[in-house]
Amino acid sequence: MRAMMSTQTSDNFSAFASLHRYFALIETDKPTLEQAQIAVSQLHLVYGAESEEDLMKRGGPEIIQMYTDVKNKILNAAK
């Protein structure tokens, strides 16, 4: 039987990779607002949610706090 990566797992991995590149960029350069918005648009996938709204509805307080902290860090780096 051939192991296949689900679409959701692939999307989550892709989001993680995108965010990793974004945080690497922060170390060497100031990201643009567009780059920050793209990173934020992928962030909920790292937490296994379909959207930010989904994460806010289903996530526990600690997950929501971590998400909010990371989102703020992303957006503040572009200001």
Side-chain angles (χ1 to χ4, degrees):
M1 186 167 148
R2 197 173 85 199
M4 296 181 71
M5 188 182 305
S6 73
T7 301
Q8 183 180 8
T9 301
S10 178
D11 289 347
N12 292 0
F13 183 76
S14 178
F16 178 80
S18 293
L19 290 169
H20 179 72
R21 285 190 302 273
Y22 180 82
F23 283 112
L25 173 66
I26 289 174
E27 297 296 321
T28 60
D29 201 1
K30 183 176 176 136
T32 66
L33 183 56
E34 181 182 2
Q35 289 169 320
Q37 290 169 336
I38 290 168
V40 166
S41 75
Q42 299 288 303
L43 185 58
H44 65 274
L45 294 170
V46 172
Y47 292 91
E50 294 179 16
S51 65
E52 180 176 24
E53 295 79 23
D54 179 45
L55 186 128
M56 294 299 168
K57 287 180 187 174
R58 296 186 314 121
E62 291 123 9
I63 295 294
I64 291 171
Q65 185 62 52
M66 285 190 303
Y67 171 84
T68 303
D69 290 347
V70 173
K71 178 180 175 181
N72 288 336
K73 182 176 180 178
I74 290 169
L75 293 173
N76 288 334
K79 290 184 179 182

